[in-house]
Structure formats: structure tokens, C-alpha cells
Amino acid sequence: MTGPSGLFWPDPQKGDLMGWREFFDRAFRATTRKPRPTPWDSPSRPKPAVPPATEDTAARREDPPEQEVNTLVAPLATAHPLRDLDPAALRAALRLRLVDLDSLTRVEGLPHLRAIAPGLVEVLTIDLPHVVITPTAADLARLGPIPAQITLGRKHLHRLLDEDLSVHHVSPEDGLSFTVVRGEDYCFSSVALILPTLIHAVAPELELSRGLFVAVPDRHHVAFREIAGLESVMSLGPMATFTRHGYDARDDAVSPEVYWARNPRLDQWTPLTVQVEDGIHIHVPAEVTAYIEDD
């Protein structure tokens, strides 16, 4: 450890702190509760410019749904003929999704692509019973204005909070705790795009004005920690190890990093961790350090 703005945590591959891999497989089902209903978020912000790619994208989930889901990429026309589907059915299937940018085989022509953090983006998808399609703007032209479709895709994320969620409070040491929420849906971690609503559902007592530490190691889990006191900064070590293990252990990985989520919608994410050969470097921004000094 080198001080509150520069922490170092050992390589998670060289020591399975608290048995994280087993924890991922079993412990999340221990605490389950129904989230509170909450209002929908407002429309998303405009998309940033991103470099072009060359292929259409579709991600297919395996059947039956209780099995682990592997995302398969195939040409859009082969995955599902969108032109043959009823527009009302397509609108009902619209959903925003949080993905690793490298998992997309194309970004050119997409109706919506918004950067959340370096390498982590929000896209508009069509989630059908046995296939998830990342459509182009041309594919959605008959559904009306794209901004309205983005709003609808964000609204539909709230359906994921209508199911039973597993909420687990991880405490490797006194005070060094964080919370992990698990959902059964194959892209549950996309609820991090409506983070204030998720927190209202599972931990409404938290103070969000300073933002949150948040992680999305895979498609089923969202981890978070309120920023309050020195313990919250010290918790970044175990939280980073947990996130790295979850990212490495699963085929449906999203991100190995821990982020600082801030602004009123908690949708501006600043990376706090960097993966290095000997472990994980943690950098706490001066703004967060100032919060801790004020406590």
C-alpha cells in the first residue's frame, strides 16, 4: 500500500482470497429479496464517435436458459430476419445493454453507442427469447425515431429488477465490505446503466451524492460500495480482487476493473484499477480523497 491515492493489491491468481471462485458459484443465492418498484430513468445522452468495424452482430443465448450462456457472434441476417418480425414485437424487445467494446464485431451504422468508460459501452439491442441482436439503424428504421427507441430500451431495463435478486454483503475484514447483486437474466449486469434505480431497489439507505464504487465482472453481477470513510477506500482492494476473479472465471465476462460512478445518474465512470503483471494497481482520484478527508 502506498497511501490513499495509490494502493496495490496482490495478483488474484496467486491467492484465492476468501475462495472467490467458489463464492461466485454458490454464495450469491444465500440472500434473496424483491426490489422496490421505482420510476423509469430519463432518456440517455447522445452517442460519442467511435472507430468503424466491418461485420453485423448478433449474440445468441443457449437454451435452456438456466445453463451458462455463451455469446456467439453471427451475421445479423443469419441470426434472425428482423424484417419478418412485427414492429410491436420489436419495440417490446428493445433493451440497452452494457458490453465490452471488443465484443462487438461492428460499430459502424449502429443506432446507439455510448461510452461508459474506456472499452465499456452502452448499445441498443433486440432481446428475443433465443437470440440477442445488435441491430443497425437501417434495421430499426421502420420503428420510428431512434431517440424514442433508446428511451424505450432504457425503460425495459427495469424489467430485470422485477425478478428476485440475490443480494450478498461481502466482508473479508471488519469495515472492508461491499455489496454484490446477482440476477438470473443473461445480461443482468446491464442494470448498472440505471444504477440509481438499482440502488434504490436493494440499498435505499445509501448516500449517492459522492457517487459509488462499482464493478461489473460478468453479465450476472453488479458490485458496489458507498463512498464514506477511509474503510470505503480500503475496501477497493478486496473488491478489485473479487472483480478480477469473477472476470477471469467466467465465459460471460464484462470488465475486470472497479470504477467510480458519479453525476446525478451515476453514468460517468472513472476507472480506479489497472491490471498489471504482479497484481492490481488502485488509484483513488483527488476528488474522492477530499471526500474522505472531510469525514
PDB file of all heavy atoms in Angstrom, residues 75-105:
ATOM      1  N   PRO A  75     -23.643 -13.340 -38.438  1.00  0.00           N
ATOM      2  CA  PRO A  75     -24.215 -12.269 -39.261  1.00  0.00           C
ATOM      3  C   PRO A  75     -25.666 -12.025 -38.896  1.00  0.00           C
ATOM      4  O   PRO A  75     -26.415 -12.950 -38.607  1.00  0.00           O
ATOM      5  CB  PRO A  75     -24.077 -12.811 -40.695  1.00  0.00           C
ATOM      6  CG  PRO A  75     -22.958 -13.794 -40.620  1.00  0.00           C
ATOM      7  CD  PRO A  75     -23.066 -14.404 -39.244  1.00  0.00           C
ATOM      8  N   LEU A  76     -26.079 -10.783 -38.928  1.00  0.00           N
ATOM      9  CA  LEU A  76     -27.416 -10.411 -38.493  1.00  0.00           C
ATOM     10  C   LEU A  76     -28.499 -11.145 -39.274  1.00  0.00           C
ATOM     11  O   LEU A  76     -29.449 -11.676 -38.702  1.00  0.00           O
ATOM     12  CB  LEU A  76     -27.587  -8.896 -38.645  1.00  0.00           C
ATOM     13  CG  LEU A  76     -28.921  -8.305 -38.220  1.00  0.00           C
ATOM     14  CD1 LEU A  76     -29.163  -8.568 -36.745  1.00  0.00           C
ATOM     15  CD2 LEU A  76     -28.933  -6.809 -38.490  1.00  0.00           C
ATOM     16  N   ALA A  77     -28.364 -11.193 -40.592  1.00  0.00           N
ATOM     17  CA  ALA A  77     -29.407 -11.823 -41.394  1.00  0.00           C
ATOM     18  C   ALA A  77     -29.535 -13.300 -41.081  1.00  0.00           C
ATOM     19  O   ALA A  77     -30.613 -13.882 -41.148  1.00  0.00           O
ATOM     20  CB  ALA A  77     -29.102 -11.623 -42.875  1.00  0.00           C
ATOM     21  N   THR A  78     -28.439 -13.950 -40.728  1.00  0.00           N
ATOM     22  CA  THR A  78     -28.463 -15.369 -40.395  1.00  0.00           C
ATOM     23  C   THR A  78     -29.072 -15.595 -39.022  1.00  0.00           C
ATOM     24  O   THR A  78     -29.804 -16.555 -38.801  1.00  0.00           O
ATOM     25  CB  THR A  78     -27.035 -15.938 -40.415  1.00  0.00           C
ATOM     26  OG1 THR A  78     -26.469 -15.659 -41.686  1.00  0.00           O
ATOM     27  CG2 THR A  78     -27.028 -17.427 -40.155  1.00  0.00           C
ATOM     28  N   ALA A  79     -28.773 -14.691 -38.057  1.00  0.00           N
ATOM     29  CA  ALA A  79     -29.231 -14.868 -36.694  1.00  0.00           C
ATOM     30  C   ALA A  79     -30.749 -14.736 -36.590  1.00  0.00           C
ATOM     31  O   ALA A  79     -31.395 -15.513 -35.916  1.00  0.00           O
ATOM     32  CB  ALA A  79     -28.565 -13.848 -35.786  1.00  0.00           C
ATOM     33  N   HIS A  80     -31.328 -13.738 -37.235  1.00  0.00           N
ATOM     34  CA  HIS A  80     -32.773 -13.554 -37.179  1.00  0.00           C
ATOM     35  C   HIS A  80     -33.209 -12.547 -38.232  1.00  0.00           C
ATOM     36  O   HIS A  80     -32.642 -11.461 -38.322  1.00  0.00           O
ATOM     37  CB  HIS A  80     -33.190 -13.071 -35.796  1.00  0.00           C
ATOM     38  CG  HIS A  80     -34.555 -13.549 -35.413  1.00  0.00           C
ATOM     39  ND1 HIS A  80     -35.698 -13.093 -36.008  1.00  0.00           N
ATOM     40  CD2 HIS A  80     -34.958 -14.463 -34.493  1.00  0.00           C
ATOM     41  CE1 HIS A  80     -36.745 -13.688 -35.476  1.00  0.00           C
ATOM     42  NE2 HIS A  80     -36.323 -14.529 -34.564  1.00  0.00           N
ATOM     43  N   PRO A  81     -34.239 -12.864 -39.021  1.00  0.00           N
ATOM     44  CA  PRO A  81     -34.701 -11.938 -40.059  1.00  0.00           C
ATOM     45  C   PRO A  81     -35.593 -10.857 -39.434  1.00  0.00           C
ATOM     46  O   PRO A  81     -36.810 -11.015 -39.345  1.00  0.00           O
ATOM     47  CB  PRO A  81     -35.492 -12.840 -41.018  1.00  0.00           C
ATOM     48  CG  PRO A  81     -35.990 -13.966 -40.152  1.00  0.00           C
ATOM     49  CD  PRO A  81     -34.975 -14.136 -39.055  1.00  0.00           C
ATOM     50  N   LEU A  82     -35.035  -9.745 -39.020  1.00  0.00           N
ATOM     51  CA  LEU A  82     -35.809  -8.702 -38.351  1.00  0.00           C
ATOM     52  C   LEU A  82     -36.933  -8.171 -39.232  1.00  0.00           C
ATOM     53  O   LEU A  82     -37.977  -7.762 -38.727  1.00  0.00           O
ATOM     54  CB  LEU A  82     -34.880  -7.549 -37.949  1.00  0.00           C
ATOM     55  CG  LEU A  82     -33.890  -7.829 -36.828  1.00  0.00           C
ATOM     56  CD1 LEU A  82     -33.056  -6.588 -36.549  1.00  0.00           C
ATOM     57  CD2 LEU A  82     -34.595  -8.282 -35.566  1.00  0.00           C
ATOM     58  N   ARG A  83     -36.709  -8.183 -40.518  1.00  0.00           N
ATOM     59  CA  ARG A  83     -37.727  -7.637 -41.417  1.00  0.00           C
ATOM     60  C   ARG A  83     -39.028  -8.436 -41.350  1.00  0.00           C
ATOM     61  O   ARG A  83     -40.093  -7.921 -41.725  1.00  0.00           O
ATOM     62  CB  ARG A  83     -37.201  -7.614 -42.852  1.00  0.00           C
ATOM     63  CG  ARG A  83     -36.900  -8.991 -43.412  1.00  0.00           C
ATOM     64  CD  ARG A  83     -36.310  -8.898 -44.810  1.00  0.00           C
ATOM     65  NE  ARG A  83     -35.976 -10.217 -45.339  1.00  0.00           N
ATOM     66  CZ  ARG A  83     -34.840 -10.850 -45.078  1.00  0.00           C
ATOM     67  NH1 ARG A  83     -33.932 -10.256 -44.307  1.00  0.00           N
ATOM     68  NH2 ARG A  83     -34.593 -12.043 -45.583  1.00  0.00           N
ATOM     69  N   ASP A  84     -38.979  -9.673 -40.881  1.00  0.00           N
ATOM     70  CA  ASP A  84     -40.177 -10.506 -40.816  1.00  0.00           C
ATOM     71  C   ASP A  84     -40.913 -10.384 -39.485  1.00  0.00           C
ATOM     72  O   ASP A  84     -41.977 -10.975 -39.310  1.00  0.00           O
ATOM     73  CB  ASP A  84     -39.813 -11.981 -41.039  1.00  0.00           C
ATOM     74  CG  ASP A  84     -39.263 -12.223 -42.439  1.00  0.00           C
ATOM     75  OD1 ASP A  84     -39.596 -11.418 -43.343  1.00  0.00           O
ATOM     76  OD2 ASP A  84     -38.504 -13.188 -42.619  1.00  0.00           O
ATOM     77  N   LEU A  85     -40.354  -9.627 -38.542  1.00  0.00           N
ATOM     78  CA  LEU A  85     -40.970  -9.519 -37.227  1.00  0.00           C
ATOM     79  C   LEU A  85     -41.890  -8.307 -37.155  1.00  0.00           C
ATOM     80  O   LEU A  85     -41.631  -7.267 -37.763  1.00  0.00           O
ATOM     81  CB  LEU A  85     -39.895  -9.406 -36.146  1.00  0.00           C
ATOM     82  CG  LEU A  85     -39.001 -10.633 -35.964  1.00  0.00           C
ATOM     83  CD1 LEU A  85     -37.981 -10.386 -34.865  1.00  0.00           C
ATOM     84  CD2 LEU A  85     -39.836 -11.863 -35.627  1.00  0.00           C
ATOM     85  N   ASP A  86     -42.955  -8.441 -36.379  1.00  0.00           N
ATOM     86  CA  ASP A  86     -43.913  -7.368 -36.194  1.00  0.00           C
ATOM     87  C   ASP A  86     -43.242  -6.194 -35.468  1.00  0.00           C
ATOM     88  O   ASP A  86     -42.541  -6.391 -34.475  1.00  0.00           O
ATOM     89  CB  ASP A  86     -45.091  -7.882 -35.365  1.00  0.00           C
ATOM     90  CG  ASP A  86     -46.107  -6.796 -35.117  1.00  0.00           C
ATOM     91  OD1 ASP A  86     -46.741  -6.350 -36.083  1.00  0.00           O
ATOM     92  OD2 ASP A  86     -46.240  -6.381 -33.940  1.00  0.00           O
ATOM     93  N   PRO A  87     -43.444  -4.956 -35.919  1.00  0.00           N
ATOM     94  CA  PRO A  87     -42.815  -3.804 -35.256  1.00  0.00           C
ATOM     95  C   PRO A  87     -43.134  -3.703 -33.766  1.00  0.00           C
ATOM     96  O   PRO A  87     -42.276  -3.328 -32.969  1.00  0.00           O
ATOM     97  CB  PRO A  87     -43.374  -2.610 -36.032  1.00  0.00           C
ATOM     98  CG  PRO A  87     -43.664  -3.149 -37.393  1.00  0.00           C
ATOM     99  CD  PRO A  87     -44.136  -4.560 -37.160  1.00  0.00           C
ATOM    100  N   ALA A  88     -44.357  -4.062 -33.387  1.00  0.00           N
ATOM    101  CA  ALA A  88     -44.719  -4.005 -31.968  1.00  0.00           C
ATOM    102  C   ALA A  88     -43.882  -4.984 -31.153  1.00  0.00           C
ATOM    103  O   ALA A  88     -43.461  -4.681 -30.027  1.00  0.00           O
ATOM    104  CB  ALA A  88     -46.207  -4.303 -31.790  1.00  0.00           C
ATOM    105  N   ALA A  89     -43.618  -6.181 -31.721  1.00  0.00           N
ATOM    106  CA  ALA A  89     -42.804  -7.176 -31.030  1.00  0.00           C
ATOM    107  C   ALA A  89     -41.356  -6.693 -30.910  1.00  0.00           C
ATOM    108  O   ALA A  89     -40.699  -6.929 -29.890  1.00  0.00           O
ATOM    109  CB  ALA A  89     -42.857  -8.511 -31.775  1.00  0.00           C
ATOM    110  N   LEU A  90     -40.876  -6.017 -31.941  1.00  0.00           N
ATOM    111  CA  LEU A  90     -39.514  -5.490 -31.898  1.00  0.00           C
ATOM    112  C   LEU A  90     -39.390  -4.394 -30.843  1.00  0.00           C
ATOM    113  O   LEU A  90     -38.419  -4.354 -30.086  1.00  0.00           O
ATOM    114  CB  LEU A  90     -39.109  -4.950 -33.261  1.00  0.00           C
ATOM    115  CG  LEU A  90     -38.895  -5.986 -34.369  1.00  0.00           C
ATOM    116  CD1 LEU A  90     -38.552  -5.296 -35.680  1.00  0.00           C
ATOM    117  CD2 LEU A  90     -37.788  -6.950 -33.986  1.00  0.00           C
ATOM    118  N   ARG A  91     -40.364  -3.513 -30.779  1.00  0.00           N
ATOM    119  CA  ARG A  91     -40.313  -2.450 -29.772  1.00  0.00           C
ATOM    120  C   ARG A  91     -40.337  -3.032 -28.365  1.00  0.00           C
ATOM    121  O   ARG A  91     -39.635  -2.550 -27.471  1.00  0.00           O
ATOM    122  CB  ARG A  91     -41.493  -1.485 -29.962  1.00  0.00           C
ATOM    123  CG  ARG A  91     -41.405  -0.627 -31.201  1.00  0.00           C
ATOM    124  CD  ARG A  91     -42.467   0.472 -31.197  1.00  0.00           C
ATOM    125  NE  ARG A  91     -42.495   1.173 -32.466  1.00  0.00           N
ATOM    126  CZ  ARG A  91     -43.310   0.854 -33.474  1.00  0.00           C
ATOM    127  NH1 ARG A  91     -44.168  -0.145 -33.339  1.00  0.00           N
ATOM    128  NH2 ARG A  91     -43.262   1.529 -34.600  1.00  0.00           N
ATOM    129  N   ALA A  92     -41.127  -4.070 -28.172  1.00  0.00           N
ATOM    130  CA  ALA A  92     -41.205  -4.694 -26.847  1.00  0.00           C
ATOM    131  C   ALA A  92     -39.904  -5.371 -26.451  1.00  0.00           C
ATOM    132  O   ALA A  92     -39.645  -5.577 -25.260  1.00  0.00           O
ATOM    133  CB  ALA A  92     -42.344  -5.709 -26.821  1.00  0.00           C
ATOM    134  N   ALA A  93     -39.066  -5.712 -27.450  1.00  0.00           N
ATOM    135  CA  ALA A  93     -37.820  -6.431 -27.183  1.00  0.00           C
ATOM    136  C   ALA A  93     -36.603  -5.511 -27.111  1.00  0.00           C
ATOM    137  O   ALA A  93     -35.496  -5.986 -26.857  1.00  0.00           O
ATOM    138  CB  ALA A  93     -37.600  -7.491 -28.260  1.00  0.00           C
ATOM    139  N   LEU A  94     -36.787  -4.220 -27.317  1.00  0.00           N
ATOM    140  CA  LEU A  94     -35.668  -3.287 -27.251  1.00  0.00           C
ATOM    141  C   LEU A  94     -35.116  -3.207 -25.831  1.00  0.00           C
ATOM    142  O   LEU A  94     -35.869  -3.142 -24.861  1.00  0.00           O
ATOM    143  CB  LEU A  94     -36.102  -1.890 -27.702  1.00  0.00           C
ATOM    144  CG  LEU A  94     -36.360  -1.696 -29.199  1.00  0.00           C
ATOM    145  CD1 LEU A  94     -37.028  -0.343 -29.445  1.00  0.00           C
ATOM    146  CD2 LEU A  94     -35.065  -1.795 -29.995  1.00  0.00           C
ATOM    147  N   ARG A  95     -33.781  -3.198 -25.709  1.00  0.00           N
ATOM    148  CA  ARG A  95     -33.151  -3.075 -24.397  1.00  0.00           C
ATOM    149  C   ARG A  95     -31.747  -2.503 -24.561  1.00  0.00           C
ATOM    150  O   ARG A  95     -31.017  -2.888 -25.472  1.00  0.00           O
ATOM    151  CB  ARG A  95     -33.071  -4.434 -23.703  1.00  0.00           C
ATOM    152  CG  ARG A  95     -32.584  -4.359 -22.257  1.00  0.00           C
ATOM    153  CD  ARG A  95     -32.260  -5.732 -21.702  1.00  0.00           C
ATOM    154  NE  ARG A  95     -33.430  -6.518 -21.415  1.00  0.00           N
ATOM    155  CZ  ARG A  95     -33.379  -7.784 -20.969  1.00  0.00           C
ATOM    156  NH1 ARG A  95     -32.213  -8.384 -20.793  1.00  0.00           N
ATOM    157  NH2 ARG A  95     -34.485  -8.438 -20.720  1.00  0.00           N
ATOM    158  N   LEU A  96     -31.378  -1.596 -23.678  1.00  0.00           N
ATOM    159  CA  LEU A  96     -29.997  -1.146 -23.628  1.00  0.00           C
ATOM    160  C   LEU A  96     -29.163  -2.225 -22.967  1.00  0.00           C
ATOM    161  O   LEU A  96     -29.634  -2.936 -22.062  1.00  0.00           O
ATOM    162  CB  LEU A  96     -29.873   0.162 -22.854  1.00  0.00           C
ATOM    163  CG  LEU A  96     -30.440   1.408 -23.527  1.00  0.00           C
ATOM    164  CD1 LEU A  96     -30.196   2.626 -22.650  1.00  0.00           C
ATOM    165  CD2 LEU A  96     -29.845   1.623 -24.907  1.00  0.00           C
ATOM    166  N   ARG A  97     -27.917  -2.326 -23.400  1.00  0.00           N
ATOM    167  CA  ARG A  97     -27.056  -3.374 -22.861  1.00  0.00           C
ATOM    168  C   ARG A  97     -25.651  -2.827 -22.640  1.00  0.00           C
ATOM    169  O   ARG A  97     -25.136  -2.058 -23.445  1.00  0.00           O
ATOM    170  CB  ARG A  97     -27.015  -4.553 -23.832  1.00  0.00           C
ATOM    171  CG  ARG A  97     -26.350  -5.792 -23.258  1.00  0.00           C
ATOM    172  CD  ARG A  97     -26.503  -6.958 -24.199  1.00  0.00           C
ATOM    173  NE  ARG A  97     -25.910  -8.164 -23.639  1.00  0.00           N
ATOM    174  CZ  ARG A  97     -25.748  -9.284 -24.305  1.00  0.00           C
ATOM    175  NH1 ARG A  97     -26.151  -9.383 -25.556  1.00  0.00           N
ATOM    176  NH2 ARG A  97     -25.198 -10.342 -23.737  1.00  0.00           N
ATOM    177  N   LEU A  98     -25.026  -3.224 -21.533  1.00  0.00           N
ATOM    178  CA  LEU A  98     -23.666  -2.834 -21.194  1.00  0.00           C
ATOM    179  C   LEU A  98     -22.721  -3.926 -21.656  1.00  0.00           C
ATOM    180  O   LEU A  98     -22.845  -5.077 -21.227  1.00  0.00           O
ATOM    181  CB  LEU A  98     -23.549  -2.641 -19.677  1.00  0.00           C
ATOM    182  CG  LEU A  98     -22.186  -2.185 -19.134  1.00  0.00           C
ATOM    183  CD1 LEU A  98     -21.855  -0.787 -19.630  1.00  0.00           C
ATOM    184  CD2 LEU A  98     -22.195  -2.227 -17.611  1.00  0.00           C
ATOM    185  N   VAL A  99     -21.771  -3.585 -22.534  1.00  0.00           N
ATOM    186  CA  VAL A  99     -20.879  -4.598 -23.103  1.00  0.00           C
ATOM    187  C   VAL A  99     -19.453  -4.069 -23.201  1.00  0.00           C
ATOM    188  O   VAL A  99     -19.205  -2.860 -23.208  1.00  0.00           O
ATOM    189  CB  VAL A  99     -21.340  -5.042 -24.512  1.00  0.00           C
ATOM    190  CG1 VAL A  99     -22.742  -5.641 -24.481  1.00  0.00           C
ATOM    191  CG2 VAL A  99     -21.278  -3.888 -25.501  1.00  0.00           C
ATOM    192  N   ASP A 100     -18.524  -5.010 -23.296  1.00  0.00           N
ATOM    193  CA  ASP A 100     -17.137  -4.707 -23.633  1.00  0.00           C
ATOM    194  C   ASP A 100     -17.096  -4.338 -25.117  1.00  0.00           C
ATOM    195  O   ASP A 100     -17.620  -5.072 -25.962  1.00  0.00           O
ATOM    196  CB  ASP A 100     -16.293  -5.954 -23.348  1.00  0.00           C
ATOM    197  CG  ASP A 100     -14.842  -5.792 -23.733  1.00  0.00           C
ATOM    198  OD1 ASP A 100     -14.464  -4.726 -24.241  1.00  0.00           O
ATOM    199  OD2 ASP A 100     -14.073  -6.749 -23.522  1.00  0.00           O
ATOM    200  N   LEU A 101     -16.490  -3.212 -25.439  1.00  0.00           N
ATOM    201  CA  LEU A 101     -16.446  -2.766 -26.831  1.00  0.00           C
ATOM    202  C   LEU A 101     -15.836  -3.815 -27.743  1.00  0.00           C
ATOM    203  O   LEU A 101     -16.259  -3.993 -28.892  1.00  0.00           O
ATOM    204  CB  LEU A 101     -15.650  -1.453 -26.933  1.00  0.00           C
ATOM    205  CG  LEU A 101     -15.530  -0.832 -28.314  1.00  0.00           C
ATOM    206  CD1 LEU A 101     -16.899  -0.472 -28.886  1.00  0.00           C
ATOM    207  CD2 LEU A 101     -14.641   0.419 -28.263  1.00  0.00           C
ATOM    208  N   ASP A 102     -14.852  -4.562 -27.248  1.00  0.00           N
ATOM    209  CA  ASP A 102     -14.189  -5.572 -28.072  1.00  0.00           C
ATOM    210  C   ASP A 102     -15.104  -6.738 -28.420  1.00  0.00           C
ATOM    211  O   ASP A 102     -14.796  -7.522 -29.318  1.00  0.00           O
ATOM    212  CB  ASP A 102     -12.945  -6.110 -27.361  1.00  0.00           C
ATOM    213  CG  ASP A 102     -11.832  -5.086 -27.298  1.00  0.00           C
ATOM    214  OD1 ASP A 102     -11.864  -4.132 -28.108  1.00  0.00           O
ATOM    215  OD2 ASP A 102     -10.933  -5.216 -26.453  1.00  0.00           O
ATOM    216  N   SER A 103     -16.233  -6.880 -27.707  1.00  0.00           N
ATOM    217  CA  SER A 103     -17.151  -7.976 -28.004  1.00  0.00           C
ATOM    218  C   SER A 103     -18.030  -7.682 -29.215  1.00  0.00           C
ATOM    219  O   SER A 103     -18.708  -8.570 -29.731  1.00  0.00           O
ATOM    220  CB  SER A 103     -18.038  -8.271 -26.787  1.00  0.00           C
ATOM    221  OG  SER A 103     -18.969  -7.213 -26.565  1.00  0.00           O
ATOM    222  N   LEU A 104     -18.038  -6.434 -29.673  1.00  0.00           N
ATOM    223  CA  LEU A 104     -18.822  -6.062 -30.847  1.00  0.00           C
ATOM    224  C   LEU A 104     -17.993  -6.285 -32.106  1.00  0.00           C
ATOM    225  O   LEU A 104     -16.853  -5.848 -32.183  1.00  0.00           O
ATOM    226  CB  LEU A 104     -19.238  -4.593 -30.771  1.00  0.00           C
ATOM    227  CG  LEU A 104     -20.135  -4.198 -29.607  1.00  0.00           C
ATOM    228  CD1 LEU A 104     -20.350  -2.678 -29.611  1.00  0.00           C
ATOM    229  CD2 LEU A 104     -21.471  -4.916 -29.674  1.00  0.00           C
ATOM    230  N   THR A 105     -18.573  -6.949 -33.091  1.00  0.00           N
ATOM    231  CA  THR A 105     -17.855  -7.166 -34.342  1.00  0.00           C
ATOM    232  C   THR A 105     -18.019  -6.004 -35.309  1.00  0.00           C
ATOM    233  O   THR A 105     -17.358  -5.957 -36.337  1.00  0.00           O
ATOM    234  CB  THR A 105     -18.324  -8.458 -35.030  1.00  0.00           C
ATOM    235  OG1 THR A 105     -19.720  -8.367 -35.300  1.00  0.00           O
ATOM    236  CG2 THR A 105     -18.037  -9.658 -34.140  1.00  0.00           C
TER     237      THR A 105
END
